[in-house]
Amino acid sequence: MIVASSLAVTLPKHVMAEASAPSLVISQLKLTSSNGQFVTLYNTGQTALDMSKYQLEYFNHYDLSKATSSKLISLSGIVPPHGYYMINDGTLLLCYQLTIDSATLGLSTTAGLLQLLSLNQSNPGNPANLGLQDYVSWSKTAAAGVTTLPSNTNVFLQRQPMDVNNSLAISAAGSGSWQTVQPDPANTCKLISGSGITIQTGMNQLLSASEPPATILSLNSEESSATASSASLPAADIGLMAPKLTELLPNPNGTGNDATNEFVELYNPNAVSFDLSGFGLQVGTNSVHNYSFPSGTSLPPHSFTAFYSSTTGLSLANSGGQVKLLDPFGNSISSSEIYSIAKDGQAWALANGKWYWTTKLTPSTANIINQPISTKKSSTKITSSKSKTSTKPQANKKSKTNSSSYVGGQDDEASSTPIHPGALALVATTALLYGAYEYRTDLANRIFQLRRYFAARRANRAQT
C-alpha cells in the first residue's frame, strides 16, 4: 500500500479551502496503465450532484513553481447519491455502473497535481467562487508528501479507506491513502491489491476487451435526482457488456404500416441472457419519446432481437431522427447515428462501426448491407454505351466504301450523294431567265444592231 501524506505544495490563490468531508472526492487515478487514462470521482452525499458545477484543474508538476502547463476540465451530467463518475479518454469496457464523461486528459506520467474544484455563488448575478473539494499529487520518483507512481504499468491507484457500507470515506480534501490495484483475472469486476488481496470498492470495475465495444455512457441532464436515486440495475446484468443498437426501420414500404411494422433491433454481445427490466428506448432528436421495457424482458445470448412499433408504440420520424438505448438510470448506453430522410422500405443498419441505408431488412438476424444502385449513374452509362454502338458501325461502313483515309461523319456521307439531273436543269433554266431579265436592255440593243447590220447587207446586195 502506498500512503500519501499531506501535500507540500502551495495551492493557487483563486482556490479557497472548504470545510472537511467534501461532497465529491477523487476515488481512482489511472496514469501509467495501457488503453488511456481516467479519473474516477465519488459522490459522498445523500443527494444527486450536478457535475456542471464542478471542474478539474491539472498541473504538469506537483510543485507549482516547476509546473510549465495547466489545464481546466469542465464536467457535465448528474451523479446520484453514492454514485461514481469517470472522466475517461480511453476505449475501456466497464462493468458499467458508472456515469462516464469523455475528455482528453493528457496527464503527465512523471509528476503532476490534480485538483477537484466546486463553483459556488452567493446570490444570482454575483461572481462564482471556486472551492477546493479534493486533490491528489504524484511523482515517478519518491518525494515528500506526494504519491509515488507504481512501476507496473498494468495497475492504477485506488483511494482508501472504505467505511462499513463499502463507500469511500474521506474526512477532508487530500486525506486518506492510495494503493496500487488491478482487475482480478478471475473476476474483472473485482480489484486486487499489489499483494494479491481482493479489496472492497463499492463499485464495479473494468471488463476485459471484447467485441462489440461499449458505448461511453452519459447521464441525461433532464433526469431528476429522485429517478436516479430510485433506479437500480438488474442483478443479473452486473459485469455484463451493454447491448448495442444495430438496426432501425423508420419507413416501411408496400403493405408496411408505420404504426405496426417499424422496428428497433438490439444485439446482446454476452454469452448469457441480458435482463432489460427497467431499460428503455428513446426516439427523436428535438422532440423525444420513450418506451420502458416491462419487467422480465430479456435478450438471449449472442443474439439480435427486433422490437416492433406494434409493441413499443414508438414512431420513427421519416424526416430524420435517432434512437438511443437507456439504462435504468437514464444513461444512454448505445445510440444510432442520426439519419436524415428515411429511405422508403430501407433499414438504417450498423456494420463495422458505421451506419448505412440497406435494402435488405434483417430483423432479429445479422445485418446485411445492400445499397441500391444509383438510377442516374446507370442511365448515363447506358446512354454512353448506346452512343458508342451507334457511331461505330457508321465509321466501319465509311471506311469500306471510301478509299480515302479520312472517315467522315453523317454530313460527309450525305454530301457524296449525286444530284438529280432534273434539279440541275431547273437550276440552269432559272439562272438563264434571271440573266436575261437583268441584261434585257443590253440584249435589246444588241438585237437592234444585228437587225440594222443584216438590213444594210441586204441593201448592198440589191445595188450590185
Side-chain angles (χ1 to χ4, degrees):
M1 177 180 295
I2 300 174
V3 179
S5 58
S6 299
L7 285 176
V9 295
T10 302
L11 299 179
K13 294 181 180 179
H14 68 277
V15 177
M16 302 183 299
E18 279 195 344
S20 60
S23 59
L24 190 66
V25 297
I26 302 172
S27 172
Q28 289 180 336
L29 184 64
K30 178 190 176 191
L31 298 170
T32 57
S33 304
S34 58
N35 299 324
Q37 300 177 331
F38 67 70
V39 177
T40 306
L41 308 178
Y42 173 66
N43 179 3
T44 64
Q46 299 294 328
T47 59
L49 296 179
D50 182 357
M51 297 303 293
S52 64
K53 297 180 180 179
Y54 294 88
Q55 294 178 334
L56 285 173
E57 188 172 27
Y58 157 68
F59 300 88
N60 67 343
H61 203 283
Y62 60 85
D63 185 347
L64 297 188
S65 64
K66 299 179 180 179
T68 58
S69 66
S70 63
K71 184 176 184 178
L72 198 63
I73 302 173
S74 299
L75 308 177
S76 62
I78 296 175
V79 179
H82 301 294
Y84 287 85
Y85 182 99
M86 178 180 283
I87 303 95
N88 175 39
D89 69 357
T91 55
L92 299 175
L93 289 178
L94 307 170
C95 284
Y96 120 85
Q97 287 185 310
L98 291 173
T99 301
I100 307 297
D101 194 5
S102 179
T104 302
L105 295 174
L107 305 177
S108 170
T109 59
T110 302
L113 167 66
L114 187 68
Q115 299 180 154
L116 176 60
L117 309 175
S118 61
L119 296 174
N120 304 304
Q121 187 181 43
S122 57
N123 293 300
N126 288 358
N129 297 317
L130 290 176
L132 177 65
Q133 285 284 309
D134 199 8
Y135 63 89
V136 60
S137 63
W138 63 89
S139 176
K140 191 173 182 179
T141 58
V146 179
T147 299
T148 304
L149 294 178
S151 58
N152 185 350
T153 59
N154 293 321
V155 302
F156 54 93
L157 298 175
Q158 167 78 32
R159 189 76 165 274
Q160 294 291 304
M162 309 298 290
D163 62 17
V164 294
N165 295 320
N166 202 27
S167 298
L168 190 61
I170 301 301
S171 59
S175 63
S177 60
W178 294 85
Q179 64 177 339
T180 59
V181 297
Q182 59 183 319
D184 185 348
N187 185 349
T188 53
C189 290
K190 293 183 179 180
L191 294 180
I192 57 175
S193 65
S195 59
I197 300 175
T198 301
I199 62 173
Q200 300 295 326
T201 62
M203 61 184 291
N204 291 318
Q205 298 302 320
L206 308 179
L207 280 177
S208 57
S210 61
E211 292 293 337
T215 300
I216 292 178
L217 313 182
S218 59
L219 189 66
N220 293 340
S221 59
E222 299 176 355
E223 187 71 19
S224 66
S225 59
T227 302
S229 61
S230 61
S232 62
L233 186 73
D237 294 343
I238 296 176
L240 299 182
M241 290 178 286
K244 295 282 293 183
L245 281 162
T246 51
E247 187 177 358
L248 320 174
L249 178 61
N251 186 16
N253 68 353
T255 58
N257 188 314
D258 286 358
T260 58
N261 295 99
E262 293 182 353
F263 68 81
V264 175
E265 182 186 76
L266 297 177
Y267 173 71
N268 176 13
N270 301 283
V272 296
S273 296
F274 191 94
D275 189 354
L276 285 177
S277 300
F279 289 74
L281 296 173
Q282 184 180 85
V283 301
T285 51
N286 298 327
S287 178
V288 299
H289 301 278
N290 294 275
Y291 167 77
S292 295
F293 291 101
S295 179
T297 305
S298 64
L299 299 173
H302 295 306
S303 67
F304 298 84
T305 304
F307 296 90
Y308 287 86
S309 53
S310 57
T311 300
T312 65
L314 296 175
S315 178
L316 304 177
N318 292 349
S319 58
Q322 185 181 33
V323 178
K324 296 180 179 180
L325 174 64
L326 307 181
D327 73 0
F329 306 98
N331 301 318
S332 173
I333 58 176
S334 181
S335 61
S336 71
E337 286 187 6
I338 297 176
Y339 62 86
S340 54
I341 302 300
K343 311 294 184 179
D344 188 30
Q346 296 185 34
W348 186 233
L350 178 68
N352 297 327
K354 296 182 180 181
W355 287 81
Y356 304 88
W357 288 111
T358 174
T359 58
K360 187 69 174 179
L361 308 185
T362 57
S364 299
T365 58
N367 293 341
I368 299 175
I369 305 303
N370 183 30
Q371 295 184 321
I373 299 175
S374 173
T375 303
K376 182 177 180 180
K377 188 174 182 180
S378 62
S379 63
T380 303
K381 290 183 176 179
I382 293 172
T383 303
S384 177
S385 176
K386 287 182 178 181
S387 175
K388 290 180 179 178
T389 56
S390 61
T391 58
K392 188 173 182 180
Q394 293 176 358
N396 291 341
K397 179 179 179 180
K398 189 68 177 181
S399 63
K400 292 179 181 179
T401 56
N402 195 339
S403 61
S404 173
S405 60
Y406 170 76
V407 179
Q410 291 181 352
D411 291 339
D412 296 311
E413 187 173 354
S415 63
S416 65
T417 304
I419 300 176
H420 195 278
L424 290 175
L426 178 61
V427 172
T429 303
T430 303
L432 290 174
L433 292 175
Y434 178 78
Y437 175 78
E438 286 291 328
Y439 297 100
R440 59 187 182 278
T441 303
D442 295 338
L443 289 174
N445 291 334
R446 188 63 176 168
I447 293 172
F448 177 75
Q449 291 175 355
L450 289 173
R451 290 175 65 185
R452 290 184 62 183
Y453 171 75
F454 287 119
R457 288 188 65 179
R458 286 195 297 271
N460 289 333
R461 291 193 190 103
Q463 292 177 359
T464 59

